[in-house]
Amino acid sequence: MKGIGMDLCEIARFERILEKGDSFLRRYFAPEEQAYLSGRGQTAAQSAAAMFAAKEAFLKAAGIGIGGGVSLTDVAVRHESSGQPVYALEGKALEKLRAMGAEKAWLSLSHEAGMAAAVCVIE
C-alpha cells in the first residue's frame, strides 16, 4: 500500500451548491462526471457529495491536498455498469500515482444520514 485517504462531505452543502447553478460542477468535475450527475435527479446532491469526497480522499492518499498541483477535474469518478465507483485518473493525478510507484487507486463510497464518505487506497 502506498497511501490511504478518507473524506466526508455534508450532502445539504451540495444541495445548496447545485441550486446555484452548474459553475461549481464545471470547475471541479470532469465532463463525464457532470453528465452523470445531470441524470441523477433528486439524488444528484448525494452523488456529487460522494464524488467530491472521493476527489479529496485521493489527494489525501497521495499525500497532497487541494492546491497541491493536481486539478480536481483530473481526479474523476466513473461508475461501472454494476454501479461500482472507480477512479478515472488523468493528467497530474495519473502522474502523481505513477510517481508514487503505484498502479491503482481503489475507491469506496457511502452515504447515510445527510453525509457522504469516500475512502481511497493507493497501491
Side-chain angles (χ1 to χ4, degrees), residues 34-119:
Q34 294 174 45
Y36 175 82
L37 291 170
S38 71
R40 297 298 293 165
Q42 292 185 339
T43 62
Q46 174 179 290
S47 295
M51 291 165 71
F52 193 82
K55 295 168 180 290
E56 292 206 32
F58 173 83
L59 296 178
K60 291 173 182 179
I64 56 177
I66 291 180
V70 172
S71 169
L72 291 182
T73 58
D74 284 348
V75 183
V77 176
R78 171 179 97 218
H79 294 82
E80 299 289 346
S81 59
S82 65
Q84 176 188 3
V86 295
Y87 282 111
L89 304 176
E90 296 183 357
K92 297 287 185 185
L94 186 55
E95 288 176 21
K96 178 62 178 173
L97 184 80
R98 291 180 177 150
M100 294 173 71
E103 296 180 19
K104 182 155 177 87
W106 296 92
L107 174 62
S108 179
L109 301 177
S110 186
H111 27 75
E112 178 72 32
M115 301 298 288
V119 175

